[in-house]
Structures are given as structure tokens and as C-alpha cells.
Amino acid sequence: MSITLNFELNDHDLAHFQAAAEHSRKAVEGKSAEEIVAAAVALLDDAQKVQIPDFIRARLLRLDDMIAMVRDAAWAMEDADRQRVLSALAYFADPNDIIPDNVQVLGFLDDAVMIELSVRELAHELDAYDDFCDYRAREAARRGVDPSTLGRTDWLDSRREELVERMHGRRERDFGIGYGRSSGYGRESYVRAWRPGVFGVR
């Protein structure tokens, strides 16, 4: 038997998570980008060792996408964009988060909530990266190459530049800076077969 639970976070609740995120950012000050990413990868590794609810697993898959964004040489994030993602990942590098991860069933609940908040904050980054990965997979198949072997190429760089421009335009529009320059997109599956493992971590 399974049950469905719906819960709502009010402004006070969100402020609590935002304070926790800020605490984590301060706690990991001095850590390198590689250390922050490694800690997020370790969290995914730990999650694979225990039974977790599907709704938490779905959020962890999006954490995997954030990790992939900063690791992907072909995506080659600009420093300011990369820092936005690393700032979101900082929470998962803090061992003293809201709920200890070793608590059965609910240990990753706070992580799932923080991932959901980060996904909303990084919506345009994730949309652009999803489209980039879909384009790379389609074009690689058409060209008869393995997408996992691709680094920077002219045809990928061209598409990446278009998507980054779109991402910046949409983000500026959200912040009330102009109207942006949206090129439109058709979002496809999040599944990227060339990334191994349950969560795709390397």
C-alpha cells in the first residue's frame, strides 16, 4: 500500500531553508569547486545505498544535472554562471544540513526540498543544459559518433552560444532587466544515455 502526502512551504518555512542555504555557503567557504562538486556526488552515492521515496529520487536526478553542468567540458560554463550553480551545490557539501542523511527514509528529505528550490532558481540554466544535451545526443547519432567522447567542437559551440544567450536573456527578463531574447525551444527527455549509473555520476 502507498499513500500520497502533499505539503506546502509558507514564507516562514522558505526563509528557514534560505537561512540554511546561506549557512552552508559560509560553512564551505574556502573549499574548491572540485570539493563542492565531490561532496554533492558523494551524497548521490550515499542515496543509492538506501531505500528512498520516489519523489526524493526524482529530485536527486536533478541534482545530478547540476553536477553535470559544472563538469561538462563541452558546456563550458562562464565563471559567473558556474558560480551560481556551485552556490546551489554548497548546501550538499555541508555535513551539518537540516536532517542528517543517515536518518532512515527521511534523511534526504531536506536535500530534496533544497534541490527543488535550486531547480526553480536555476530553471533557465537547467533548461538550456537539457536542450544542449539533447542536441548533442541527436547530432552525435546523426554523425555516427559517441557523444561521451565529444568535447568542444565548432558545431556544439555554436549551439551552446545560442542557448547561453537565451538563458541570459530569460534570466534578465525575470530580474526585470529588459525583455531578453528568447529563441523558443522544444524540451525533450531528461534521460541522457551516455551518462552511466543510476544517477549518471562519474
Side-chain angles (χ1 to χ4, degrees):
M1 181 184 74
S2 62
I3 62 173
T4 299
L5 297 175
N6 295 308
F7 63 93
E8 180 177 320
L9 298 177
N10 59 30
D11 289 344
H12 177 76
D13 300 325
L14 292 174
H16 178 66
F17 276 95
Q18 289 163 355
E22 183 59 29
H23 176 273
S24 294
R25 280 191 285 270
K26 291 180 179 178
V28 301
E29 281 181 358
K31 288 185 179 292
S32 67
E34 291 73 21
E35 289 175 308
I36 291 174
V37 171
V41 171
L43 183 145
L44 293 184
D45 287 340
D46 290 343
Q48 294 184 62
K49 299 172 185 175
V50 297
Q51 191 70 29
I52 56 176
D54 288 342
F55 78 93
I56 293 180
R57 181 177 295 274
R59 270 74 182 178
L60 292 175
L61 288 170
R62 290 311 263 163
L63 175 60
D64 184 36
D65 290 335
M66 295 181 215
I67 294 170
M69 274 199 292
V70 297
R71 281 180 152 185
D72 195 330
W75 184 233
M77 297 190 82
E78 298 174 6
D79 287 344
D81 295 328
R82 192 166 186 264
Q83 192 55 49
R84 278 174 55 81
V85 181
L86 288 172
S87 181
L89 293 178
Y91 180 82
F92 310 103
D94 182 6
N96 300 311
D97 57 11
I98 296 174
I99 304 175
D101 292 340
N102 60 4
V103 174
Q104 287 291 325
V105 182
L106 297 179
F108 294 98
L109 177 60
D110 62 312
D111 300 300
V113 172
M114 196 62 72
I115 292 168
E116 183 66 27
L117 295 176
S118 298
V119 165
R120 295 180 182 214
E121 178 71 19
L122 300 172
H124 301 314
E125 285 86 348
L126 287 163
D127 281 348
Y129 185 60
D130 285 339
D131 284 359
F132 176 79
C133 290
D134 291 338
Y135 175 80
R136 174 169 52 189
R138 289 196 307 271
E139 281 297 300
R142 187 176 70 82
R143 295 165 187 260
V145 296
D146 181 354
S148 66
T149 64
L150 292 173
R152 297 289 296 272
T153 66
D154 289 343
W155 57 270
L156 266 180
D157 277 351
S158 176
R159 181 57 176 157
R160 182 185 68 82
E161 289 170 5
E162 292 175 2
L163 290 168
V164 169
E165 182 180 10
R166 186 192 76 187
M167 176 185 79
H168 287 161
R170 290 178 174 176
R171 201 165 70 203
E172 288 172 0
R173 181 185 60 204
D174 284 355
F175 291 154
I177 307 173
Y179 293 99
R181 293 182 296 278
S182 174
S183 61
Y185 64 101
R187 189 164 176 177
E188 297 183 5
S189 170
Y190 292 142
V191 176
R192 289 184 269 285
W194 58 272
R195 284 165 52 198
V198 175
F199 294 109
V201 296
R202 298 181 181 185

